[in-house]
Short mmCIF file of all heavy atoms in Angstrom, two decimals:
data_model
loop_
_atom_site.label_atom_id
_atom_site.label_comp_id
_atom_site.label_asym_id
_atom_site.label_seq_id
_atom_site.Cartn_x
_atom_site.Cartn_y
_atom_site.Cartn_z
N PHE A 826 104.71 87.73 114.22
CA PHE A 826 104.99 88.70 113.15
C PHE A 826 104.87 87.93 111.77
O PHE A 826 105.40 86.82 111.51
CB PHE A 826 106.43 89.20 113.29
CG PHE A 826 106.81 90.27 112.25
CD1 PHE A 826 106.52 91.60 112.49
CD2 PHE A 826 107.49 89.94 111.06
CE1 PHE A 826 106.82 92.56 111.67
CE2 PHE A 826 107.81 90.93 110.17
CZ PHE A 826 107.46 92.32 110.48
N GLU A 827 104.07 88.57 110.83
CA GLU A 827 103.90 88.04 109.47
C GLU A 827 104.43 89.09 108.48
O GLU A 827 103.88 90.18 108.40
CB GLU A 827 102.45 87.73 109.27
CG GLU A 827 101.91 86.61 110.19
CD GLU A 827 100.46 86.26 109.90
OE1 GLU A 827 99.95 86.67 108.78
OE2 GLU A 827 99.83 85.68 110.73
N PHE A 828 105.44 88.66 107.76
CA PHE A 828 106.07 89.65 106.78
C PHE A 828 105.13 90.20 105.76
O PHE A 828 105.07 91.38 105.45
CB PHE A 828 107.25 89.02 106.09
CG PHE A 828 108.23 89.99 105.55
CD1 PHE A 828 108.96 90.91 106.38
CD2 PHE A 828 108.34 90.14 104.21
CE1 PHE A 828 109.78 91.83 105.83
CE2 PHE A 828 109.25 91.10 103.65
CZ PHE A 828 109.93 91.88 104.44
N PRO A 829 104.21 89.35 105.19
CA PRO A 829 103.23 89.88 104.22
C PRO A 829 102.34 90.97 104.79
O PRO A 829 101.98 91.94 104.10
CB PRO A 829 102.42 88.62 103.79
CG PRO A 829 103.29 87.46 104.02
CD PRO A 829 104.13 87.88 105.23
N VAL A 830 101.89 90.78 106.00
CA VAL A 830 101.07 91.77 106.70
C VAL A 830 101.85 93.09 106.82
O VAL A 830 101.35 94.24 106.58
CB VAL A 830 100.57 91.28 108.05
CG1 VAL A 830 99.74 92.39 108.77
CG2 VAL A 830 99.72 90.07 107.86
N PHE A 831 103.11 92.96 107.28
CA PHE A 831 104.02 94.12 107.44
C PHE A 831 104.19 94.85 106.11
O PHE A 831 104.14 96.08 106.11
CB PHE A 831 105.34 93.67 108.00
CG PHE A 831 106.25 94.78 108.26
CD1 PHE A 831 106.11 95.66 109.34
CD2 PHE A 831 107.34 95.04 107.39
CE1 PHE A 831 107.01 96.71 109.56
CE2 PHE A 831 108.20 96.07 107.60
CZ PHE A 831 108.03 96.98 108.68
N LEU A 832 104.48 94.10 105.06
CA LEU A 832 104.64 94.76 103.74
C LEU A 832 103.37 95.50 103.29
O LEU A 832 103.41 96.58 102.68
CB LEU A 832 104.91 93.75 102.69
CG LEU A 832 106.38 93.20 102.70
CD1 LEU A 832 106.58 92.09 101.69
CD2 LEU A 832 107.40 94.26 102.59
N LYS A 833 102.18 94.97 103.58
CA LYS A 833 100.92 95.66 103.32
C LYS A 833 100.81 96.97 104.05
O LYS A 833 100.22 97.91 103.56
CB LYS A 833 99.72 94.73 103.59
CG LYS A 833 98.46 95.28 103.14
CD LYS A 833 97.30 94.22 103.39
CE LYS A 833 95.92 94.81 102.95
NZ LYS A 833 94.83 93.87 103.15
N ASN A 834 101.34 96.97 105.29
CA ASN A 834 101.27 98.17 106.13
C ASN A 834 102.43 99.10 105.95
O ASN A 834 102.44 100.19 106.53
CB ASN A 834 101.26 97.78 107.60
CG ASN A 834 99.93 97.11 107.98
OD1 ASN A 834 98.87 97.48 107.53
ND2 ASN A 834 99.98 96.14 108.90
N LEU A 835 103.41 98.71 105.05
CA LEU A 835 104.64 99.44 104.99
C LEU A 835 104.42 100.86 104.43
O LEU A 835 104.96 101.85 104.99
CB LEU A 835 105.64 98.68 104.12
CG LEU A 835 107.11 99.24 104.09
CD1 LEU A 835 107.71 99.26 105.49
CD2 LEU A 835 107.98 98.37 103.18
N TRP A 836 103.74 101.00 103.35
CA TRP A 836 103.48 102.37 102.72
C TRP A 836 101.97 102.43 102.41
O TRP A 836 101.47 101.67 101.64
CB TRP A 836 104.25 102.55 101.35
CG TRP A 836 105.72 102.30 101.54
CD1 TRP A 836 106.48 101.32 100.95
CD2 TRP A 836 106.64 103.07 102.36
NE1 TRP A 836 107.78 101.47 101.31
CE2 TRP A 836 107.94 102.47 102.18
CE3 TRP A 836 106.50 104.19 103.19
CZ2 TRP A 836 109.09 102.97 102.80
CZ3 TRP A 836 107.63 104.72 103.77
CH2 TRP A 836 108.94 104.16 103.57
N GLN A 837 101.34 103.33 103.10
CA GLN A 837 99.97 103.58 102.89
C GLN A 837 99.62 105.04 102.84
O GLN A 837 100.29 105.81 103.59
CB GLN A 837 99.05 102.87 103.95
CG GLN A 837 99.09 101.37 103.85
CD GLN A 837 98.17 100.76 104.94
OE1 GLN A 837 98.10 101.28 106.05
NE2 GLN A 837 97.62 99.64 104.66
N ILE A 838 98.59 105.44 102.07
CA ILE A 838 98.22 106.78 101.98
C ILE A 838 97.19 107.07 103.13
O ILE A 838 96.84 106.11 103.85
CB ILE A 838 97.66 107.19 100.60
CG1 ILE A 838 96.53 106.30 100.20
CG2 ILE A 838 98.76 107.12 99.57
CD1 ILE A 838 95.95 106.59 98.86
N GLY A 839 96.67 108.26 103.21
CA GLY A 839 95.89 108.76 104.33
C GLY A 839 94.64 107.92 104.62
O GLY A 839 94.21 107.81 105.78
N ASP A 840 94.05 107.20 103.61
CA ASP A 840 92.79 106.54 103.91
C ASP A 840 92.99 105.11 104.21
O ASP A 840 92.09 104.25 104.08
CB ASP A 840 91.82 106.73 102.72
CG ASP A 840 92.36 106.13 101.41
OD1 ASP A 840 93.54 105.72 101.53
OD2 ASP A 840 91.67 106.17 100.35
N PHE A 841 94.20 104.76 104.51
CA PHE A 841 94.63 103.37 104.87
C PHE A 841 94.66 102.41 103.72
O PHE A 841 94.78 101.18 103.88
CB PHE A 841 93.65 102.77 105.97
CG PHE A 841 93.68 103.53 107.23
CD1 PHE A 841 92.69 104.40 107.53
CD2 PHE A 841 94.68 103.48 108.17
CE1 PHE A 841 92.67 105.18 108.66
CE2 PHE A 841 94.69 104.21 109.32
CZ PHE A 841 93.64 105.08 109.52
N SER A 842 94.51 102.84 102.50
CA SER A 842 94.58 102.02 101.34
C SER A 842 96.06 101.85 100.92
O SER A 842 96.87 102.79 101.22
CB SER A 842 93.78 102.53 100.14
OG SER A 842 94.24 103.81 99.78
N ASN A 843 96.32 100.79 100.21
CA ASN A 843 97.71 100.60 99.82
C ASN A 843 98.11 101.65 98.67
O ASN A 843 97.29 102.09 97.88
CB ASN A 843 97.91 99.19 99.17
CG ASN A 843 97.74 98.15 100.26
OD1 ASN A 843 98.10 98.35 101.41
ND2 ASN A 843 97.11 97.02 99.86
N GLY A 844 99.39 101.97 98.72
CA GLY A 844 99.84 102.95 97.73
C GLY A 844 101.33 102.95 97.67
O GLY A 844 101.99 102.37 98.46
N LYS A 845 101.82 103.51 96.62
CA LYS A 845 103.27 103.60 96.43
C LYS A 845 103.82 104.65 97.44
O LYS A 845 103.13 105.58 97.88
CB LYS A 845 103.65 103.97 95.02
CG LYS A 845 103.27 102.94 94.01
CD LYS A 845 103.74 103.34 92.59
CE LYS A 845 103.40 102.22 91.63
NZ LYS A 845 103.80 102.64 90.22
N ALA A 846 105.11 104.48 97.73
CA ALA A 846 105.76 105.49 98.73
C ALA A 846 105.77 106.86 98.01
O ALA A 846 106.56 107.07 97.12
CB ALA A 846 107.12 105.02 99.08
N ASN A 847 104.98 107.80 98.41
CA ASN A 847 104.93 109.10 97.87
C ASN A 847 105.65 109.99 98.85
O ASN A 847 105.31 110.08 100.08
CB ASN A 847 103.48 109.53 97.77
CG ASN A 847 103.34 110.96 97.21
OD1 ASN A 847 103.66 111.97 97.87
ND2 ASN A 847 102.82 111.10 96.00
N LEU A 848 106.64 110.76 98.42
CA LEU A 848 107.55 111.52 99.25
C LEU A 848 106.76 112.54 100.13
O LEU A 848 106.99 112.67 101.32
CB LEU A 848 108.62 112.23 98.42
CG LEU A 848 109.64 113.07 99.16
CD1 LEU A 848 110.44 112.10 100.17
CD2 LEU A 848 110.61 113.67 98.25
N PHE A 849 105.79 113.24 99.50
CA PHE A 849 105.06 114.22 100.17
C PHE A 849 104.12 113.61 101.24
O PHE A 849 104.18 114.02 102.44
CB PHE A 849 104.12 115.02 99.25
CG PHE A 849 103.18 115.97 99.92
CD1 PHE A 849 103.65 117.16 100.42
CD2 PHE A 849 101.88 115.65 100.05
CE1 PHE A 849 102.76 118.03 101.14
CE2 PHE A 849 100.96 116.49 100.71
CZ PHE A 849 101.49 117.73 101.25
N LEU A 850 103.43 112.57 100.94
CA LEU A 850 102.56 111.87 101.88
C LEU A 850 103.38 111.19 103.02
O LEU A 850 103.02 111.33 104.20
CB LEU A 850 101.73 110.84 101.18
CG LEU A 850 100.68 111.35 100.22
CD1 LEU A 850 100.03 110.18 99.50
CD2 LEU A 850 99.60 112.21 100.92
N ILE A 851 104.53 110.60 102.69
CA ILE A 851 105.32 110.00 103.71
C ILE A 851 105.95 111.05 104.68
O ILE A 851 105.93 110.89 105.95
CB ILE A 851 106.41 109.13 103.12
CG1 ILE A 851 105.79 107.96 102.35
CG2 ILE A 851 107.39 108.64 104.18
CD1 ILE A 851 104.95 107.01 103.17
N SER A 852 106.40 112.13 104.13
CA SER A 852 106.95 113.23 104.96
C SER A 852 105.83 113.81 105.88
O SER A 852 106.15 114.15 107.08
CB SER A 852 107.51 114.34 104.10
OG SER A 852 106.53 114.97 103.27
N LYS A 853 104.60 113.84 105.43
CA LYS A 853 103.50 114.33 106.16
C LYS A 853 103.20 113.38 107.38
O LYS A 853 102.97 113.77 108.51
CB LYS A 853 102.30 114.53 105.31
CG LYS A 853 101.07 115.11 106.12
CD LYS A 853 99.85 115.29 105.21
CE LYS A 853 98.71 115.93 105.89
NZ LYS A 853 97.46 116.10 105.04
N GLN A 854 103.30 112.08 107.04
CA GLN A 854 103.07 111.04 108.07
C GLN A 854 104.21 111.11 109.13
O GLN A 854 103.89 110.97 110.29
CB GLN A 854 103.04 109.66 107.47
CG GLN A 854 101.77 109.41 106.69
CD GLN A 854 101.73 108.00 106.07
OE1 GLN A 854 102.63 107.17 106.27
NE2 GLN A 854 100.64 107.69 105.49
N VAL A 855 105.42 111.25 108.70
CA VAL A 855 106.56 111.38 109.62
C VAL A 855 106.34 112.59 110.54
O VAL A 855 106.59 112.48 111.73
CB VAL A 855 107.87 111.48 108.83
CG1 VAL A 855 109.02 111.81 109.81
CG2 VAL A 855 108.22 110.20 108.10
N LYS A 856 105.94 113.66 109.99
CA LYS A 856 105.70 114.90 110.76
C LYS A 856 104.62 114.69 111.82
O LYS A 856 104.77 115.08 112.99
CB LYS A 856 105.26 116.03 109.86
CG LYS A 856 105.12 117.39 110.55
CD LYS A 856 104.30 118.37 109.72
CE LYS A 856 102.80 118.06 109.85
NZ LYS A 856 101.93 119.17 109.28
N ASN A 857 103.54 113.97 111.44
CA ASN A 857 102.45 113.81 112.33
C ASN A 857 102.72 112.82 113.53
O ASN A 857 102.02 112.86 114.50
CB ASN A 857 101.22 113.27 111.55
CG ASN A 857 100.64 114.30 110.60
OD1 ASN A 857 100.74 115.49 110.82
ND2 ASN A 857 100.00 113.88 109.61
N CYS A 858 103.75 112.01 113.35
CA CYS A 858 104.04 111.06 114.43
C CYS A 858 105.18 111.52 115.34
O CYS A 858 105.55 110.89 116.33
CB CYS A 858 104.35 109.66 113.89
SG CYS A 858 105.86 109.46 112.92
N MET A 859 105.80 112.69 115.00
CA MET A 859 106.99 113.18 115.75
C MET A 859 106.67 113.48 117.23
O MET A 859 107.43 113.16 118.10
CB MET A 859 107.61 114.35 115.03
CG MET A 859 108.50 113.94 113.89
SD MET A 859 109.67 115.26 113.37
CE MET A 859 108.47 116.58 112.94
N LEU A 860 105.57 114.19 117.41
CA LEU A 860 105.29 114.62 118.78
C LEU A 860 105.06 113.43 119.71
O LEU A 860 105.44 113.39 120.88
CB LEU A 860 104.01 115.53 118.81
CG LEU A 860 103.84 116.44 119.95
CD1 LEU A 860 105.09 117.41 120.13
CD2 LEU A 860 102.57 117.19 119.93
N THR A 861 104.37 112.39 119.15
CA THR A 861 104.18 111.15 119.95
C THR A 861 105.47 110.52 120.31
O THR A 861 105.71 109.99 121.42
CB THR A 861 103.27 110.18 119.14
OG1 THR A 861 102.04 110.80 118.87
CG2 THR A 861 103.05 108.86 119.89
N MET A 862 106.42 110.48 119.31
CA MET A 862 107.74 109.82 119.50
C MET A 862 108.57 110.61 120.53
O MET A 862 109.26 110.05 121.35
CB MET A 862 108.45 109.75 118.25
CG MET A 862 107.81 108.72 117.26
SD MET A 862 108.62 108.61 115.72
CE MET A 862 107.85 107.20 114.97
N VAL A 863 108.52 111.91 120.44
CA VAL A 863 109.28 112.75 121.37
C VAL A 863 108.74 112.63 122.81
O VAL A 863 109.47 112.62 123.77
CB VAL A 863 109.23 114.28 120.94
CG1 VAL A 863 109.93 115.09 121.99
CG2 VAL A 863 110.04 114.42 119.62
N TRP A 864 107.37 112.49 122.84
CA TRP A 864 106.69 112.28 124.23
C TRP A 864 107.29 111.12 125.00
O TRP A 864 107.50 111.21 126.19
CB TRP A 864 105.23 112.16 123.99
CG TRP A 864 104.43 111.38 124.98
CD1 TRP A 864 103.86 110.17 124.80
CD2 TRP A 864 104.19 111.64 126.39
NE1 TRP A 864 103.22 109.70 125.90
CE2 TRP A 864 103.44 110.56 126.94
CE3 TRP A 864 104.49 112.75 127.20
CZ2 TRP A 864 102.98 110.61 128.21
CZ3 TRP A 864 104.07 112.69 128.46
CH2 TRP A 864 103.34 111.68 129.03
N VAL A 865 107.54 109.97 124.31
CA VAL A 865 107.96 108.84 124.99
C VAL A 865 109.40 108.95 125.51
O VAL A 865 109.83 108.11 126.28
CB VAL A 865 107.77 107.52 124.19
CG1 VAL A 865 106.30 107.23 123.95
CG2 VAL A 865 108.54 107.62 122.89
#
């Protein structure tokens, strides 16, 4: 585990580029991963 790599991956917009934590985009990402999480 490398913390700098994790920080780079922490908040990203849809095209995998770095970006600030945007409430709308983050909520959309959370929504999109819910079914996978419930599946397990």
Side-chain angles (χ1 to χ4, degrees):
F826 187 85
E827 297 181 18
F828 200 66
V830 176
F831 181 76
L832 285 178
K833 188 177 180 180
N834 290 324
L835 189 58
W836 306 115
Q837 290 181 327
I838 56 178
D840 60 358
F841 300 102
S842 60
N843 293 325
K845 293 182 179 179
N847 180 293
L848 184 60
F849 173 75
L850 291 173
I851 295 303
S852 62
K853 185 179 180 180
Q854 289 183 356
V855 172
K856 183 197 81 169
N857 290 338
C858 66
M859 279 197 299
L860 200 62
T861 300
M862 291 178 173
V863 174
W864 151 249
V865 295

